[in-house]
């Protein structure tokens, strides 16, 4: 309370909220140099100070950092601290893009269909074979987020309970339009 102008109550920060669990640092490659220094210090000592507090606290959190960039290339280009890279790179998982995991496309599409048909009150919706083929034939440069958006749009706009190929709105690319 009172840590900054108009502060009227004490709020937990992200580190305190994650206490005893996992703190996800998404798009870690976008951190400013100053934020990289602060994060490195936090990772080394697990200490942080809540806004407005005079004393440090020790965090009991697991850190998970995510990026779609090649951090080692960022290190080589001097855009990411090498010491922070090594501190974060204890265990590395590489998830291939959706175009390399075609077996996941329909599983994810059905998942998103379930989520959005409930959200939009369209319980009877299903994917026709032609809609499924169109989803499988597309390269998904926007990965899972693009697939989710395409399915959500189809759920909202489809005129019938069976999503047809024409209900799946995909952009044209330099390789032509997905049919």
């Amino acid at each position: 309370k009172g840590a900054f102008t108009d502060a009227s109550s004490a709020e937990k920060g992200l580190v305190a909220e994650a206490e005893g669990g996992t703190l996800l640092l998404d798009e870690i490659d976008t951190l400013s140099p100053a934020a990289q220094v602060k994060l490195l210090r936090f990772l080394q000592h697990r200490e942080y100070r809540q806004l407005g507090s005079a004393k440090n606290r020790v965090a009991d959190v697991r850190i998970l950092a995510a990026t779609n960039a090649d951090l080692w290339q960022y290190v080589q280009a001097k855009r990411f601290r090498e010491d922070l890279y090594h501190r974060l790179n204890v265990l590395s998982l590489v998830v291939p893009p959706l175009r390399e995991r075609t077996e996941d496309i329909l599983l994810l599409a059905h998942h998103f269909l379930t989520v959005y048909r409930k959200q939009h009150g369209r319980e009877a919706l299903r994917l026709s074979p032609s809609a499924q083929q169109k989803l499988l034939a597309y390269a998904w440069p926007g990965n899972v987020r693009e697939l989710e958006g395409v399915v959500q749009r189809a759920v909202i706009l489809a005129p019938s309970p069976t999503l047809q190929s024409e209900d799946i709105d995909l952009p044209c690319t330099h390789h032509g339009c997905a049919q």
Side-chain angles (χ1 to χ4, degrees):
K1 183 173 181 177
F4 56 91
T5 306
D6 295 332
S8 59
S9 64
E11 295 290 331
K12 285 185 175 180
L14 294 176
V15 174
E17 285 286 330
E19 186 66 26
T22 302
L23 178 63
L24 172 63
L25 306 174
D26 199 9
E27 299 188 33
I28 193 78
D29 56 296
T30 63
L31 281 179
S32 70
Q36 290 181 39
V37 170
K38 290 177 184 178
L39 177 59
L40 181 61
R41 193 173 307 124
F42 170 72
L43 293 174
Q44 287 175 334
H45 304 289
R46 296 289 179 179
E47 289 185 348
Y48 68 101
R49 185 176 295 175
Q50 287 186 308
L51 189 61
S53 176
K55 63 180 185 177
N56 287 344
R57 296 175 184 239
V58 177
D60 174 22
V61 295
R62 179 177 37 247
I63 304 297
L64 180 63
T67 180
N68 61 3
D70 182 338
L71 278 186
W72 184 246
Q73 285 183 350
Y74 277 48
V75 168
Q76 298 300 305
K78 306 288 187 217
R79 293 171 43 197
F80 199 83
R81 292 180 61 101
E82 186 172 0
D83 49 358
L84 178 56
Y85 171 83
H86 291 298
R87 186 61 77 169
L88 290 170
N89 197 30
V90 174
L91 176 65
S92 182
L93 285 170
V94 176
V95 179
L98 195 52
R99 70 182 161 274
E100 294 177 17
R101 317 180 267 130
T102 54
E103 67 277 6
D104 292 345
I105 293 171
L106 293 181
L107 290 170
L108 288 164
H110 286 292
H111 166 73
F112 295 135
L113 185 63
T114 299
V115 168
Y116 290 112
R117 70 183 182 198
K118 286 179 183 174
Q119 184 176 327
H120 295 285
R122 308 245 359 236
E123 290 297 325
L125 279 178
R126 65 180 191 83
L127 290 167
S128 70
S130 66
Q132 292 180 40
Q133 285 305 315
K134 188 171 183 177
L135 292 172
L136 289 169
Y138 185 63
W140 301 105
N143 259 316
V144 176
R145 289 180 182 143
E146 183 181 14
L147 175 60
E148 182 178 10
V150 165
V151 171
Q152 183 179 18
R153 183 171 39 252
V155 167
I156 293 168
L157 299 175
S160 72
T162 301
L163 298 177
Q164 300 298 329
S165 176
E166 57 271 11
D167 298 320
I168 305 298
D169 185 25
L170 297 174
C172 291
T173 65
H174 62 282
H175 299 295
C177 292
Q179 297 299 325

